[in-house]
Amino acid sequence: MTIGISIALILASCLMILLVLLHKGKGGGLSDMFGGGFSSNFGGSSVVERNLDRLTIITGIVWFVCIIALGLLLKP
């Protein structure tokens, strides 16, 4: 059980890093380098940004639940 939650935590952490880097930045930062500025040139980018926000929030919730579950399982 602990190994499965640990693997889910690692995957959620990597996905969270990727999703945060894909967000549209206020300046010309890493998000523009990885394609964040590319999607803003097309129409309908608000739908893409909204879906990216939702996916980031869901990933953050999964990450938080994994942290709490591991804390409860490993509690002495």
Side-chain angles (χ1 to χ4, degrees):
M1 183 76 167
T2 306
I3 294 174
I5 295 175
S6 297
I7 291 171
L9 178 65
I10 291 169
L11 291 175
S13 298
C14 292
L15 185 61
M16 180 68 81
I17 291 169
L18 178 70
L19 290 173
V20 167
L21 287 176
L22 284 176
H23 274 274
K24 182 179 178 184
K26 293 181 181 177
L30 284 176
S31 62
D32 290 336
M33 185 187 325
F34 290 111
F38 182 71
S39 63
S40 65
N41 293 333
F42 297 104
S45 65
S46 62
V47 174
V48 173
E49 291 171 9
R50 203 171 335 135
N51 289 336
L52 186 60
D53 289 341
R54 289 179 185 157
L55 190 58
T56 305
I57 291 170
I58 291 169
T59 306
I61 291 170
V62 169
W63 182 84
F64 184 73
V65 168
C66 288
I67 292 289
I68 298 297
L70 274 177
L72 291 175
L73 285 174
L74 297 177
K75 185 178 177 181

